[in-house]
Amino acid sequence: MGKKLTSRSEDYSKWYNELVVKSDLAENSGVRGCMVIKPYGFAIWEKMQAQLDKMFKETGHENAYFPLFIPKSYLSKEASHVEGFAKECAVVTHYRLKSAEDGSGIVVDEDAKLEEELIVRPTSETIIWDTYRKWVQSYRDLPIMINQWANVVRWEMRTRLFLRTTEFLWQEGHTAHATRQEALEEAEQMMHVYAEFAEDYMGVPVIKGTKTESERFAGAEETYCIEALMQDGKALQAGTSHFLGQNFAKAFDVKFANKEGKQEYVWATSWGVSTRLMGALVMTHSDDNGLVLPPNLAPIQVVIVPIYKGLEQLDKISEKVEPLVKALRTKGISVKYDKRDTHKPGFKFNEYELKGVPVRIAVGQRDLENGTYEVARRDTLQKELVPAEEVLDKIKGLLEEIQENIYKKALDFRNDHITEVDSYDEFKRIIDEKGGFVSAHWDGTKETEDKIKEETKATIRCIPLNVEKEAGKCMVTGKQSSQRVLFAKAY
Amino acid sequence: MGKKLTSRSEDYSKWYNELVVKSDLAENSGVRGCMVIKPYGFAIWEKMQAQLDKMFKETGHENAYFPLFIPKSYLSKEASHVEGFAKECAVVTHYRLKSAEDGSGIVVDEDAKLEEELIVRPTSETIIWDTYRKWVQSYRDLPIMINQWANVVRWEMRTRLFLRTTEFLWQEGHTAHATRQEALEEAEQMMHVYAEFAEDYMGVPVIKGTKTESERFAGAEETYCIEALMQDGKALQAGTSHFLGQNFAKAFDVKFANKEGKQEYVWATSWGVSTRLMGALVMTHSDDNGLVLPPNLAPIQVVIVPIYKGLEQLDKISEKVEPLVKALRTKGISVKYDKRDTHKPGFKFNEYELKGVPVRIAVGQRDLENGTYEVARRDTLQKELVPAEEVLDKIKGLLEEIQENIYKKALDFRNDHITEVDSYDEFKRIIDEKGGFVSAHWDGTKETEDKIKEETKATIRCIPLNVEKEAGKCMVTGKQSSQRVLFAKAY
């Protein structure tokens, strides 16, 4: 395992990076800004994918796959879209290498220059709407409810494992509708699906809201989002769902004949979550000892470690443990029985603590004699002796309890870090000293938003939904405001 | 639906392309050589993925994810590897676009040229072995058994939906072992896994064998393969598994300390199947009416079509059908009840025939009166009346029967198309007139292999495993040969 993790209080950012690497989630690759997602990290991502995919299908979506490459000219068709993405595009210009004439290695073959450069997709609206044009003639062809699991590339200058990488994995939903209302409802629905996933599976409480115009997706008329709060008091945007109006339909000429036979442009949404969620998961729950994983997403929910001297003792322990492993698996619980003889129990305890396994069972000679198991939970680090006949029910209950507990802990922390302020001075003080979300009145202008961002590094994370309107005055300009919005420094 | 499909006898290649598009599996995109996999096609691919993934995990593999981009210099490190792939690489040279100064649109920003060009992965050995170097120190770190589901890009001049596309989806396994023997066994094992999948799930009989040196993967010491036969008598390589020796370990300096503390190079395998399997699936079973899907991979296994006049009759039919739908689903059978009022039964029959749904149930007024269902199977187009109380068991049995029957039909066809020949003249005649596999003696030299390929377009598909050695003379040169090999024209 090597030496201990840097603590969160010492250096939160360093703690995060060390933890991601040491717990075998991911590491940097030899390619600038691109990461390797290691098997343990990928197993968590697979569980996220499986659950999200189920939720997408239950809400009527199907999966499909569109090309990785986007012709440069497609990107230009929606003006604000190209403006948003052009500066971070990986561009393919050639399709062949050849040996250098001076024998120094291989070089790009200049004879194999593409007529039109291709962009590695930063997001797929353009290639997808170019396709939808061929699929839509009549209102009978609508809605189209498609999701894609894919890799995308955005050339980022500063990258961090999971949180911001040049290539990342995500899903992107792209739907097409006959009416504005239906598209709006779809965009809102997917925000709710994301929130449900974050809270019930990741154990991460989120605030639902809409983005201000300047924080919106490039090409959207409205961006719905879910915002989470990390332990260092910084916010993290965990998912977005966009109402795209008719912007892409107009850019790609996607029309349909309505019931009256009249041609109309199609209404669109797009929505996505990415491997960034892995970062949110780590930063919400983990502690100075390592990961704390929610049982609903943990690749290993229960680990059993035998404590023994000599192989004869181990055999006796195994005789008792193996039926338990089977019984747990029958209940759909994923269990690992780690009887490696190459590592000591203490080493294994540290390893599974670092890797955030929710429940650890230890069993030694004395437990055999007393008919007990030592059951430890990762979230609170509490241990107790459980009679063998109760252990199965205990584990099942404990997994549910841990899932609830880590959510509640994160929720309490988040709620303790929403501060209402009415003056700009207090705002600055809270943003600087306490962090978290700051709820304040804002006059609704980009100028004020920019000024606050420049002076404090805090941005408007969202205009929260489902809160009471409350008239007030902008903390900066004193102008009228009808609702508080949430500010925070953010990842 | 439009007009009928071109028939196979008329133009096999045209039949295939039309079928793939009309049955909603896939279509060409606006990006040269890249396809859009449509929801119906992707649903089949998802089923393939799920089953393969299960089989990989059962054989001890874990999933992970490695970068899309490979620095150009990595590719150069294994000499035969770069030679094999350099000519079909998409190369990223820039990371930014900007507005053209003359206002003509967006152009590549020449100031944002990469210091080292990046290759879009054509396969991931190089980036993965660069990573494995960091993971392997001791024999305790071995084996590494990793699989990746990913997209890859090979710049192809002539492309065809699923069979050969510039971008395709695949899985690539990359394993690292302490001994030559263990790596060889892994490579062989994965060939068997692929064969089992092809035969039991796709219903596609395959021949297992090894490739000749000139047909081997670039960088492999041995390539195991499974070869299938299409209805036009051409072979299709359906999966390959490579024993890579120590080539990549040497190129990337991946060594481990063995039990005696001595440094050794690691032994490697890689293995993959791709969306090409979709092409094999379509071309093996389908007929002039459309797709014929194996029940084990069909997104819809059973479709129920009501035949009615007026909504009152429909309601009565639905009352009877809906409990059946539930009962079938409880048995794990995927059912669609198509009660769309916008299309006539005849239209629906054609649609599901085109889409290869294995079983179709029709139910009308007379069936209600008689307590029957009309059950039709897609593979033989046979229909029968089944008493309502027997229909559940009937369907379950029928799905198994269809799965077996289409495999057997393909197997008979394949076996009828393996011809043993002993003279080169007869070889040419069979290759030209009958097609299929031709089993012949060959002297083992590249010269003869090249000559045969040039003169007949037939290549050695494999040196089959598990066949009796039989001494003979090369049909071309008369030199000694110890085993017949299989030739065919191939996709």
Side-chain angles (χ1 to χ4, degrees):
Chain A
M1 291 292 101
K3 64 177 177 10
K4 273 187 80 100
L5 281 176
T6 297
S7 72
R8 287 164 294 175
S9 57
E10 203 180 323
D11 186 337
Y12 190 82
S13 168
K14 202 171 164 205
W15 163 81
Y16 172 78
N17 286 328
E18 277 183 18
L19 177 53
V20 167
V21 173
K22 287 193 175 181
S23 64
D24 278 341
L25 297 183
E27 64 185 35
N28 286 306
S29 75
V31 190
R32 212 193 126 285
C34 292
M35 66 182 159
V36 172
I37 306 180
K38 298 176 79 174
Y40 193 62
F42 203 82
I44 301 172
W45 176 242
E46 279 184 320
K47 288 196 160 245
M48 289 186 172
Q49 281 189 294
Q51 180 55 35
L52 284 165
D53 199 70
K54 187 165 171 269
M55 293 168 95
F56 298 156
K57 283 173 178 159
E58 282 167 359
T59 42
H61 303 91
E62 299 176 297
N63 288 330
Y65 190 76
F66 295 85
L68 171 68
F69 296 132
I70 298 177
K72 199 185 61 187
S73 59
Y74 285 28
L75 207 66
S76 321
K77 288 193 180 175
E78 213 288 329
S80 62
H81 190 70
V82 67
E83 205 187 310
F85 288 104
K87 287 190 179 138
E88 47 187 46
C89 281
V91 190
V92 176
T93 57
H94 294 73
Y95 61 85
R96 198 163 59 207
L97 298 172
K98 62 172 185 179
S99 298
E101 281 168 22
D102 62 3
S104 62
I106 54 167
V107 294
V108 176
D109 185 345
E110 289 299 334
D111 292 342
K113 196 169 180 353
L114 294 177
E115 268 183 52
E116 180 177 6
E117 287 94 358
L118 298 174
I119 310 304
V120 181
R121 63 182 161 218
T123 180
S124 301
E125 278 77 6
T126 55
I127 186 85
I128 287 181
W129 280 85
D130 185 68
T131 307
Y132 283 179
R133 184 181 54 249
K134 301 171 213 163
W135 293 0
V136 177
Q137 273 92 43
S138 132
Y139 70 95
R140 284 187 211 88
D141 302 321
L142 296 171
I144 299 176
M145 308 273 277
I146 282 184
N147 175 59
Q148 157 169 288
W149 291 96
N151 54 344
V152 285
V153 169
R154 297 180 188 174
W155 207 268
E156 301 279 359
M157 283 306 151
R158 264 169 253 142
T159 60
R160 294 190 62 193
L161 292 166
F162 290 122
L163 297 172
R164 194 174 295 278
T165 48
T166 297
E167 181 194 15
F168 55 92
L169 303 183
W170 80 345
Q171 61 67 218
E172 45 182 325
H174 294 274
T175 68
H177 305 267
T179 67
R180 175 188 170 86
Q181 184 58 26
E182 195 183 297
L184 266 169
E185 281 167 12
E186 163 77 3
E188 262 203 71
Q189 168 185 250
M190 297 322 290
M191 171 192 65
H192 293 304
V193 166
Y194 287 153
E196 189 187 331
F197 173 75
E199 301 196 331
D200 296 353
Y201 291 84
M202 297 173 62
V204 173
V206 294
I207 292 171
K208 300 175 193 175
T210 56
K211 289 287 180 189
T212 61
E213 194 178 339
S214 56
E215 296 277 335
R216 252 177 228 153
F217 176 75
E221 293 195 359
E222 184 79 278
T223 288
Y224 297 91
C225 62
I226 56 170
E227 296 283 328
L229 192 67
M230 304 298 102
Q231 291 177 65
D232 62 347
K234 283 167 83 173
L236 186 145
Q237 174 181 300
T240 49
S241 180
H242 316 293
F243 168 64
L244 303 173
Q246 295 173 313
N247 293 343
F248 286 91
K250 284 178 183 165
F252 289 89
D253 197 31
V254 188
K255 290 182 198 164
F256 71 102
N258 67 15
K259 282 186 184 170
E260 290 75 42
K262 223 187 96 195
Q263 292 286 309
E264 286 187 55
Y265 284 110
V266 174
W267 298 86
T269 83
S270 68
W271 30 275
V273 295
S274 73
T275 34
R276 192 162 212 241
L277 289 180
M278 294 286 293
L281 187 76
V282 171
M283 288 205 299
T284 300
H285 305 301
S286 304
D287 62 25
D288 294 347
N289 299 320
L291 295 179
V292 174
L293 294 179
N296 286 350
L297 297 176
I300 305 167
Q301 293 174 307
V302 177
V303 66
I304 305 179
V305 178
I307 297 165
Y308 62 95
K309 285 202 185 99
L311 291 179
E312 203 179 318
Q313 256 191 33
L314 176 61
D315 283 346
K316 277 193 190 140
I317 292 172
S318 297
E319 249 175 61
K320 194 181 166 188
V321 165
E322 273 154 15
L324 176 62
V325 169
K326 265 198 198 150
L328 286 165
R329 287 197 181 135
T330 306
K331 284 190 183 283
I333 294 167
S334 65
V335 193
K336 178 174 176 178
Y337 176 36
D338 183 356
K339 54 175 182 177
R340 281 179 300 170
D341 199 31
T342 44
H343 298 82
K344 300 230 179 289
F347 178 94
K348 294 178 186 173
F349 284 17
N350 284 337
E351 182 177 347
Y352 297 113
E353 202 163 282
L354 181 62
K355 291 197 160 184
V357 175
V359 173
R360 182 190 74 216
I361 300 177
V363 50
Q365 182 61 29
R366 206 178 312 163
D367 296 301
L368 285 190
E369 287 157 17
N370 299 342
T372 54
Y373 289 102
E374 186 197 82
V375 176
R377 51 192 281 185
R378 175 63 185 89
D379 59 338
T380 60
L381 300 174
Q382 286 165 333
K383 291 190 279 197
E384 62 178 307
L385 279 177
V386 177
E389 62 275 17
E390 292 170 21
V391 75
L392 213 55
D393 288 340
K394 177 73 193 177
I395 301 299
K396 222 173 137 50
L398 201 50
L399 290 172
E400 284 164 24
E401 208 178 311
I402 295 171
Q403 182 75 33
E404 261 174 55
N405 178 56
I406 64 170
Y407 172 73
K408 200 179 163 306
K409 196 174 158 196
L411 183 64
D412 287 345
F413 177 85
R414 199 275 312 274
N415 288 344
D416 284 347
H417 286 80
I418 303 179
T419 313
E420 269 195 15
V421 307
D422 290 310
S423 83
Y424 192 35
D425 281 344
E426 203 190 344
F427 177 89
K428 288 185 205 164
R429 194 177 59 76
I430 298 291
I431 286 288
D432 258 13
E433 291 171 14
K434 186 181 180 188
F437 291 113
V438 182
S439 174
H441 281 288
W442 159 65
D443 64 13
T445 69
K446 187 172 182 319
E447 290 69 35
T448 306
E449 193 180 1
D450 287 349
K451 175 184 157 79
I452 296 170
K453 184 174 178 180
E454 210 185 295
E455 292 175 357
T456 69
K457 292 195 180 123
T459 50
I460 300 178
R461 301 318 304 154
C462 71
I463 304 162
L465 294 169
N466 310 322
V467 292
E468 300 243 345
K469 300 272 168 188
E470 175 208 295
K473 288 191 169 142
C474 173
M475 62 175 172
V476 177
T477 62
K479 288 184 195 156
Q480 287 301 317
S481 148
S482 64
Q483 181 183 348
R484 289 178 184 272
V485 298
L486 289 179
F487 291 84
K489 288 188 194 170
Y491 278 96
Chain B
M1 293 289 101
K3 64 177 177 11
K4 272 186 83 99
L5 281 176
T6 297
S7 72
R8 287 165 294 173
S9 58
E10 203 179 323
D11 186 338
Y12 191 81
S13 167
K14 200 170 167 205
W15 164 80
Y16 172 78
N17 286 329
E18 276 183 19
L19 177 53
V20 167
V21 172
K22 286 194 176 178
S23 64
D24 278 339
L25 298 183
E27 65 185 36
N28 286 306
S29 76
V31 189
R32 212 194 126 285
C34 292
M35 66 181 159
V36 172
I37 306 180
K38 298 177 79 173
Y40 193 62
F42 202 82
I44 300 172
W45 176 242
E46 279 184 319
K47 288 195 160 247
M48 288 186 174
Q49 282 190 295
Q51 180 55 34
L52 284 165
D53 200 70
K54 188 164 171 268
M55 294 167 94
F56 298 156
K57 283 173 178 158
E58 282 167 358
T59 43
H61 303 91
E62 300 176 295
N63 289 329
Y65 190 76
F66 295 85
L68 171 68
F69 296 132
I70 299 178
K72 198 185 60 187
S73 58
Y74 285 28
L75 208 66
S76 321
K77 288 194 180 175
E78 215 287 329
S80 63
H81 191 68
V82 66
E83 203 188 312
F85 287 105
K87 289 192 177 137
E88 46 186 47
C89 281
V91 190
V92 176
T93 57
H94 294 73
Y95 61 86
R96 199 165 58 208
L97 299 171
K98 63 173 185 179
S99 298
E101 279 168 24
D102 63 3
S104 63
I106 53 167
V107 294
V108 176
D109 184 344
E110 289 299 334
D111 292 342
K113 196 167 177 359
L114 294 177
E115 269 182 50
E116 179 178 6
E117 288 95 358
L118 298 173
I119 309 305
V120 182
R121 63 180 163 220
T123 179
S124 301
E125 279 77 6
T126 56
I127 186 86
I128 287 181
W129 279 86
D130 185 68
T131 307
Y132 283 179
R133 185 180 55 248
K134 302 170 212 164
W135 293 1
V136 178
Q137 273 90 43
S138 132
Y139 70 93
R140 285 187 210 89
D141 301 322
L142 296 170
I144 299 175
M145 307 274 278
I146 283 184
N147 174 59
Q148 157 170 290
W149 291 96
N151 52 345
V152 285
V153 170
R154 297 180 187 173
W155 207 268
E156 301 279 0
M157 283 305 150
R158 263 170 253 142
T159 60
R160 293 189 64 191
L161 291 168
F162 290 122
L163 297 172
R164 195 174 294 278
T165 49
T166 297
E167 181 195 15
F168 55 92
L169 303 184
W170 79 344
Q171 60 68 218
E172 44 182 325
H174 295 273
T175 68
H177 306 267
T179 66
R180 175 189 170 84
Q181 184 56 27
E182 195 182 299
L184 267 168
E185 281 167 14
E186 164 76 5
E188 263 202 71
Q189 169 186 250
M190 297 322 291
M191 171 192 65
H192 293 305
V193 166
Y194 288 154
E196 189 186 331
F197 173 75
E199 300 196 333
D200 295 354
Y201 291 84
M202 297 172 62
V204 173
V206 293
I207 292 171
K208 300 175 194 174
T210 56
K211 289 285 180 190
T212 61
E213 196 177 338
S214 57
E215 296 277 335
R216 254 177 226 152
F217 177 73
E221 294 195 357
E222 185 77 278
T223 288
Y224 296 90
C225 63
I226 56 170
E227 296 284 326
L229 192 66
M230 304 297 102
Q231 293 177 66
D232 61 348
K234 282 168 86 174
L236 186 145
Q237 174 182 299
T240 49
S241 180
H242 315 293
F243 168 65
L244 303 172
Q246 295 174 314
N247 293 343
F248 286 91
K250 284 178 183 164
F252 288 89
D253 196 30
V254 189
K255 290 181 198 164
F256 71 102
N258 67 16
K259 282 186 183 168
E260 291 74 41
K262 225 187 96 195
Q263 293 286 309
E264 286 186 54
Y265 284 110
V266 174
W267 299 87
T269 83
S270 69
W271 30 275
V273 296
S274 73
T275 34
R276 191 163 215 242
L277 289 180
M278 294 285 295
L281 188 75
V282 171
M283 289 206 298
T284 300
H285 304 301
S286 303
D287 63 24
D288 294 347
N289 298 320
L291 295 179
V292 175
L293 294 179
N296 286 350
L297 296 176
I300 305 167
Q301 294 174 308
V302 177
V303 65
I304 306 178
V305 177
I307 298 163
Y308 62 96
K309 286 201 183 105
L311 290 180
E312 203 179 319
Q313 256 190 34
L314 176 61
D315 283 346
K316 276 193 191 139
I317 292 172
S318 297
E319 249 174 62
K320 192 179 168 191
V321 165
E322 273 153 16
L324 176 62
V325 169
K326 265 197 198 151
L328 286 165
R329 286 195 182 137
T330 305
K331 286 191 183 280
I333 294 167
S334 65
V335 193
K336 180 173 176 177
Y337 176 36
D338 184 356
K339 55 174 183 178
R340 282 179 299 171
D341 199 31
T342 43
H343 299 83
K344 299 230 180 290
F347 178 93
K348 294 178 186 175
F349 284 15
N350 284 336
E351 182 176 347
Y352 297 113
E353 202 162 280
L354 182 62
K355 291 197 161 188
V357 175
V359 174
R360 182 191 74 215
I361 300 178
V363 49
Q365 184 61 30
R366 204 178 311 164
D367 296 301
L368 284 189
E369 287 158 15
N370 300 341
T372 54
Y373 288 103
E374 185 196 82
V375 175
R377 52 191 282 185
R378 176 63 185 88
D379 58 338
T380 59
L381 301 173
Q382 286 164 332
K383 290 191 278 196
E384 62 178 306
L385 280 177
V386 178
E389 62 276 16
E390 292 169 21
V391 76
L392 213 54
D393 288 339
K394 177 76 194 173
I395 300 299
K396 220 172 137 49
L398 201 50
L399 289 172
E400 284 164 24
E401 206 178 312
I402 294 170
Q403 182 74 33
E404 261 173 55
N405 178 56
I406 64 171
Y407 171 72
K408 200 178 164 306
K409 195 173 159 197
L411 183 64
D412 288 345
F413 177 85
R414 200 276 312 273
N415 289 343
D416 284 348
H417 286 80
I418 303 179
T419 313
E420 270 195 17
V421 308
D422 290 309
S423 83
Y424 192 34
D425 279 345
E426 201 189 345
F427 177 90
K428 288 187 208 163
R429 194 178 58 78
I430 298 291
I431 287 288
D432 257 14
E433 290 171 15
K434 185 180 181 189
F437 291 113
V438 182
S439 175
H441 280 288
W442 159 65
D443 63 14
T445 69
K446 187 171 182 318
E447 291 67 37
T448 306
E449 193 180 0
D450 286 350
K451 175 185 158 80
I452 296 169
K453 184 176 178 178
E454 210 187 293
E455 291 175 358
T456 68
K457 290 191 181 130
T459 51
I460 300 178
R461 300 318 304 152
C462 70
I463 304 163
L465 294 169
N466 310 323
V467 292
E468 300 242 345
K469 299 274 167 186
E470 176 207 296
K473 289 192 171 147
C474 173
M475 62 176 173
V476 177
T477 62
K479 288 186 198 158
Q480 287 301 317
S481 149
S482 63
Q483 181 184 345
R484 288 178 184 270
V485 297
L486 290 179
F487 291 84
K489 289 190 192 169
Y491 278 96

